[in-house]
Amino acid sequence: MRTAHPRAPRTDRGRLLLVVALGSAVAVFTATVPLLRDWFDLRVYYGAVGSWVHHGGRLYDYRVPGTGYGFTYPPFAAVAMLPMALLRWPAAVAGALLLDAVALAAVVRVLTGRAWRRYGWYGGALTVCLLALFEPLRDTVSFGQVNLLLLALVLADGRLLATGRGRAAGAGIGLAAAIKLTPALFIVLLLLARRFRAAAVAAAVAAAATGLAAVLLPDASRFYWTEAVRDTSRVGRLDYVSNQSLLGVLARSGEPHRAVWAVVALLVLCVWARRARGAAAAGDWRAAFALTGAAACLVSPVTWVHHLVWLLPSFGVLLHAGRPRTAAALYAVLCSSVVWLWVDDASGVSGFLGGNAYAWVALGLLLGLPVRQLPASESFPRSTSATAAAPSTAVPAIAAAPDQPSPSTASAQRLRDDGRDAATGAPAGPAGTAWSCAGSDPTGSTFPEAANPQSSSSRASS
């Protein structure tokens, strides 16, 4: 069992003082650094859906007043956002914040499993403070983006598979892929992992949602799938520093040729397929999902900073693998807003390294994320109808000293620490151990953002 850091406060009073101090620092940071994006992307969704519903406007013709930016998602995204048409703007903002809070709680719960119970209010408060500094998360919330909701849908399928309820898995990934194209890579992951039923469910749900949108928005659907889906100029400048994809790196390097990008992206996908399939074969599905999130960020033509919330599962993998220092270092980079130092000029060696820092983090995670060989009781069940892993019948013998717990007590404690049932050795609780994460929370240092960090100034909602 992990022991607390020797410098960590050991009393409730000390923990409270630490939380107050860290919370105050976060509050000062958010009050002094220009973080608020004024819910720009939410304005795009709200205006486009309102124009369609209330004024009979064409979905992809809408532009936010005073800008050239409009709706860029598949038509089903507008269908899913229809409830906004019934709300006034303040209520829409409040609803978006509430959904983000629920989705974030679900993501953290899935990634940590039962470990969160060991830290109680103290761990929860520290986690909130640390996540408030994470730039992709800050941008997701202040832009009014949908990334957290999609991540929660995808991880919900991972949880279903991890707990032996695979017959229902795939719907979350399918919905996410119908709203935005990036999560479609998780369907390929299911195929690589030979989870054919879940892959079929995901594909069927995505197709059904897309078909529903085609019935409700036939002209918009025709326009999107024949023209808009190939037109990256509708989204924004590829060379803008907020685009931390491989294509963004090439564009800022003066080599935006699509053939070069296609070759590089294909190489990355080959690496991802090999590593993700290996992770699945080893039973480490936590790593397989994390690798897929990192690969999706790299190969997507446009990956704005707020899209990098897809890297959050990777930090869960690092912590669970006992690499808190690596997690803390990478987390600090993604909290630093360092890429904005090159917002005006990303040329030269410093621009190549610093202006693409977030892309290098994603690439490093894809190449170096640890994959563990897990025992059968910790892997996804072989059968989608299985409900739990087979109980462990062997309990290692332990010589108990007079002042130590008996062997049976010590074994039960170790099983509980691993998130398993003390009686059977099987994964305990609904989350199982396939998504649990042990270890200390990473900490991140921050730097003031460069002037005009808002990616909405140079691109549309994506």
Side-chain angles (χ1 to χ4, degrees), residues 173-241:
I173 291 175
L175 280 175
I179 293 172
K180 200 170 184 177
L181 299 180
T182 303
L185 191 60
F186 286 90
I187 301 179
V188 184
L189 171 65
L190 295 175
L191 293 173
L192 288 173
R194 305 181 67 82
R195 287 287 183 166
F196 299 123
R197 178 188 175 87
V201 170
V205 169
T210 302
L212 174 63
V215 171
L216 299 177
L217 291 162
D219 293 337
S221 295
R222 187 180 307 109
F223 173 77
Y224 180 83
W225 294 110
T226 60
E227 298 184 38
V229 70
R230 296 180 286 105
D231 185 6
T232 56
S233 65
R234 289 178 54 85
V235 181
R237 287 168 38 209
L238 293 176
D239 64 345
Y240 190 55
V241 75

Side-chain angles (χ1 to χ4, degrees), residues 313-363:
S314 295
F315 290 98
V317 171
L318 289 172
L319 292 177
H320 191 81
R323 299 190 184 182
R325 293 183 179 179
T326 302
L330 297 180
Y331 196 88
V333 173
L334 290 170
C335 290
S336 67
S337 300
V338 65
V339 297
W340 298 104
L341 296 175
W342 288 271
V343 65
D344 295 320
D345 182 9
S347 61
V349 176
S350 65
F352 181 73
L353 296 176
N356 302 312
Y358 296 173
W360 304 141
V361 169
L363 184 60

